[in-house]
Amino acid sequence: MQAHDYTATRPLVVFHQGHSRWFEPLLAASLHHHLPLFVYPGQPGARLEAALMGLQPLGFRGAVLEDPGLQALALNAVQNLEPEALQARRVDLVLPEVTGTRGFYLEPIALANLIRRYAFGDKALWLGPVRPELAQGLRGLTKVSVLGRSFPEGEGFLELLPLPQRGVAAAAEVQATAVARQADLIVYAGGNLPLALLQPYHCVIALKPLPVEALRLIGEYVPPEEFQRFHLAALLEPLGYALPPEAFTL
């Protein structure tokens, strides 16, 4: 690295609570692709707001917020919010600007990109605990149904989607059987997985690891690590670095 390159390098901090899963992949990708970023981890504790306020005067490129608790706290600690952050009520990337800090929430964009690669336009069934903050990531699908822990929970999740996309909210396996047969895509969010719902033509995008016994029943399996790669790629895009998900080693 030349001297002028080094002076252009700016810090990118990964805020976390405990062990960070994002720091090493972001650092490795930055080094391998010669990005002008000095990536390092930090634990802000109760001083998150002060840490974010210091990004601009200290010359930081930005801050990545890994922990869900920090993501929620950051919502009220930034001056400007992107639409995804406003709707999800959380922030996973903060960039300093002249007008103040700007908060992004890129995880639903990562999910949308993942679906676009593996299952764009398909009918989907969400299995497991709903994650309202990811609802925006499902908008490229034709129809979305939910098998959740309760009917009101599933209905509340579907109400976050445009009306033409809203499918069936089910709270029992028997209610979801017909929907599962019509679905091309299963989004597995963890918890109990009724194996009888799985079909050989299903593509399963897993936000949590899929039980081993389910792998022989489906057509294609997209593991949680792939979703994480797409998320890491999405986090770097607002910084101006368009790396493919394959650039990140987990």
Side-chain angles (χ1 to χ4, degrees):
M1 179 178 288
Q2 302 296 320
H4 66 278
D5 295 327
Y6 184 81
T7 58
T9 301
R10 297 172 64 188
L12 175 70
V13 60
V14 180
F15 283 137
H16 65 97
Q17 304 280 49
H19 175 71
S20 173
R21 298 179 296 110
W22 294 2
F23 163 62
E24 290 186 3
L26 284 170
L27 174 62
S30 176
L31 293 174
H32 183 74
H33 293 274
H34 307 289
L35 304 183
L37 297 173
F38 178 68
V39 184
Y40 73 97
Q43 298 186 57
R47 300 181 60 82
L48 177 63
E49 184 173 0
L52 295 178
M53 289 178 60
L55 295 177
Q56 174 76 9
L58 293 176
F60 275 65
R61 187 66 181 89
V64 172
L65 284 76
E66 178 175 346
D67 182 77
L70 295 177
Q71 293 174 359
L73 289 174
L75 188 72
N76 297 318
V78 298
Q79 284 72 49
N80 307 297
L81 292 169
E82 289 294 295
E84 293 82 7
L86 274 170
Q87 182 168 335
R89 309 301 298 167
R90 60 181 66 198
V91 172
D92 57 9
L93 175 69
V94 178
L95 300 184
E97 298 178 345
V98 175
T99 57
T101 51
R102 180 168 298 277
F104 299 77
Y105 187 57
L106 287 310
E107 193 171 15
I109 293 176
L111 180 58
N113 292 339
L114 183 67
I115 290 173
R116 189 175 296 113
R117 173 177 291 190
Y118 290 100
F120 181 73
D122 291 338
K123 295 180 181 179
L125 174 62
W126 181 288
L127 291 179
V130 299
R131 293 186 55 186
E133 72 275 12
L134 293 183
Q136 302 168 82
L138 302 173
R139 294 194 172 187
L141 295 166
T142 303
K143 190 76 67 176
V144 178
S145 297
V146 178
L147 173 57
R149 294 173 293 191
S150 70
F151 179 78
E153 181 185 70
E155 278 288 294
F157 183 71
L158 293 180
E159 288 175 358
L160 299 173
L161 300 173
L163 190 60
Q165 280 188 279
R166 298 176 192 171
V168 175
E173 179 181 339
V174 65
Q175 297 171 309
T177 301
V179 177
R181 289 174 181 167
Q182 296 173 5
D184 307 289
L185 171 67
I186 302 291
V187 181
Y188 175 63
N192 178 50
L193 176 60
L195 297 180
L197 297 181
L198 302 179
Q199 301 294 334
Y201 50 80
H202 281 156
C203 170
V204 176
I205 289 179
L207 309 184
K208 297 291 183 180
L210 200 68
V212 175
E213 59 269 26
L215 297 178
R216 61 182 177 83
L217 302 175
I218 60 175
E220 185 174 9
Y221 175 48
V222 182
E225 293 79 13
E226 188 72 354
F227 180 39
Q228 185 177 342
R229 291 186 182 94
F230 272 76
H231 193 183
L232 293 171
L235 287 167
L236 289 185
E237 282 193 18
L239 282 74
Y241 310 121
L243 297 185
E246 294 76 16
F248 300 91
T249 302
L250 302 179

